[in-house]
Amino acid sequence: MRKRERENPCGVCGHYHKYEEGEVCGICGHRMPAVSEKGIQVSAFPSEILPEFLFLGSYDNASRAELLKTLGISRILNTVPACQNLYKNSFTYHCLQDDQNLPFDDAIQFLEQCEKDRARVLVHCMLGKNRSAAIVIAYLMKSKRWNLAQSLQWVKERRPSVDLTQEVYQQLQEYEQKILVSLENQPCLVMPAFPSHVTSFNFGFPKPSDPIPAPAFNNSSAPSLFARPGFDIPTQEFTFGAAHNQGNVSQSPLSANQNPNGSDITMDGS
């Protein structure tokens, strides 16, 4: 490496690579996120996942100290061990040390403390679409008690660039099962509802807004499976749909093939 390059490290990650020319850092993977893979201009602002509390972003977002201060962010959760914590004198950092398996419980404990302290926190990885997104999804599953599909949907609606790898998604599935096991051991647990303005997942069960069908049994207006007593109704006053409100109950049931006036009923479909 030439001496001039050593004297001009990257202003974002602190390592030596040609950031302006689009060269990817060989140490931490930092690169210029000017345009996403889909051709959409990447915002310098992180994505707000939970109002006035939880933000999701990239290493580039985390490098903009003045912008973060403008948003009121005071704490940063760094999910990539190779990424440097750039402003230790200005922000409270928590860095995950495992670059293979995501330590969800460790990260969630830090986020819960941030929420308790009413401190705004940014969760970031290199591009803000895989590791950091998985941490945020895991936090939603644990704190909101939403399932994986609901939590992923919530995050993707607020940051469309989220793209989990198969390995990370599998870790989230395993963590979801871990949460379910812990919830089964908690008696009298009431699960909070997923926000109504977001498409819900009912897995084939009736929605709370659907009308509840009246049971066939223990219903005085439902027809019996067996013969029912007939009604002693004058022929000239017989009208369909009003039989239950006229006359008194007779002791002798009607024949299955007779009208109340005695004539036979034909079953030819007419």
Side-chain angles (χ1 to χ4, degrees):
M1 184 179 294
R2 288 177 292 184
K3 180 179 180 181
R4 186 167 63 89
E5 293 177 343
R6 286 185 174 275
E7 293 175 350
N8 295 280
C10 173
V12 176
C13 68
H15 302 135
Y16 296 96
H17 71 109
K18 299 178 181 179
Y19 175 75
E20 293 80 5
E21 299 178 13
E23 180 182 356
V24 179
C25 179
I27 299 177
C28 67
H30 176 238
R31 66 179 180 179
M32 181 182 297
V35 179
S36 68
E37 290 79 357
K38 296 181 180 180
I40 302 175
Q41 190 72 22
V42 177
S43 173
F45 290 85
S47 305
E48 188 174 18
I49 305 302
L50 294 177
E52 301 182 354
F53 166 54
L54 184 59
F55 294 79
L56 171 62
S58 64
Y59 194 20
D60 183 69
N61 298 141
S63 69
R64 304 173 185 267
E66 295 304 320
L67 186 147
L68 298 182
K69 291 178 180 179
T70 301
L71 294 175
I73 295 174
S74 60
R75 303 185 186 184
I76 298 177
L77 175 57
N78 181 1
T79 66
V80 181
C83 289
Q84 294 185 359
N85 300 324
L86 302 176
Y87 309 106
K88 293 183 178 180
N89 294 330
S90 301
F91 301 95
T92 300
Y93 282 89
H94 184 77
C95 186
L96 304 183
Q97 300 301 323
D98 195 337
D99 58 357
Q100 297 296 327
N101 298 317
L102 287 167
F104 293 121
D105 290 329
D106 178 26
I108 290 174
Q109 184 178 2
F110 174 74
L111 294 177
E112 288 176 340
Q113 185 62 46
C114 293
E115 184 178 21
K116 182 179 179 180
D117 297 339
R118 297 183 178 181
R120 300 189 183 190
V121 56
L122 168 67
V123 183
H124 81 86
C125 56
M126 188 55 59
L127 299 177
K129 66 179 186 178
N130 186 36
R131 285 177 62 90
S132 57
I135 293 297
V136 171
I137 291 171
Y139 176 78
L140 293 177
M141 289 194 296
K142 184 70 177 295
S143 64
K144 302 295 184 182
R145 292 169 182 169
W146 298 341
N147 60 36
L148 175 55
Q150 291 171 328
S151 301
L152 176 58
Q153 177 184 342
W154 181 272
V155 173
K156 282 186 70 68
E157 286 183 351
R158 285 148 183 80
R159 191 173 181 85
S161 61
V162 168
D163 186 17
L164 303 178
T165 63
Q166 182 62 38
E167 179 183 2
V168 169
Y169 187 79
Q170 183 176 353
Q171 292 182 41
L172 282 171
Q173 288 179 315
E174 295 172 355
Y175 192 69
E176 180 185 34
Q177 293 301 317
K178 178 181 177 180
I179 294 176
L180 290 176
V181 172
S182 64
L183 292 179
E184 289 176 355
N185 298 327
Q186 299 181 20
C188 303
L189 179 66
V190 178
M191 300 293 288
F194 195 60
S196 58
H197 65 278
V198 181
T199 305
S200 61
F201 299 81
N202 54 32
F203 301 101
F205 295 99
K207 298 179 180 179
S209 59
D210 291 340
I212 301 176
F217 300 97
N218 299 326
N219 188 347
S220 59
S221 62
S224 172
L225 297 176
F226 306 99
R228 299 182 61 189
F231 295 93
D232 187 10
I233 304 172
T235 304
Q236 63 274 16
E237 296 182 6
F238 180 80
T239 56
F240 290 99
H244 291 76
N245 299 323
Q246 301 181 26
N248 298 321
V249 177
S250 174
Q251 298 299 325
S252 59
L254 289 175
S255 172
N257 297 323
Q258 288 185 351
N259 281 329
N261 58 9
S263 61
D264 293 336
I265 299 175
T266 59
M267 305 297 290
D268 57 0
S270 60

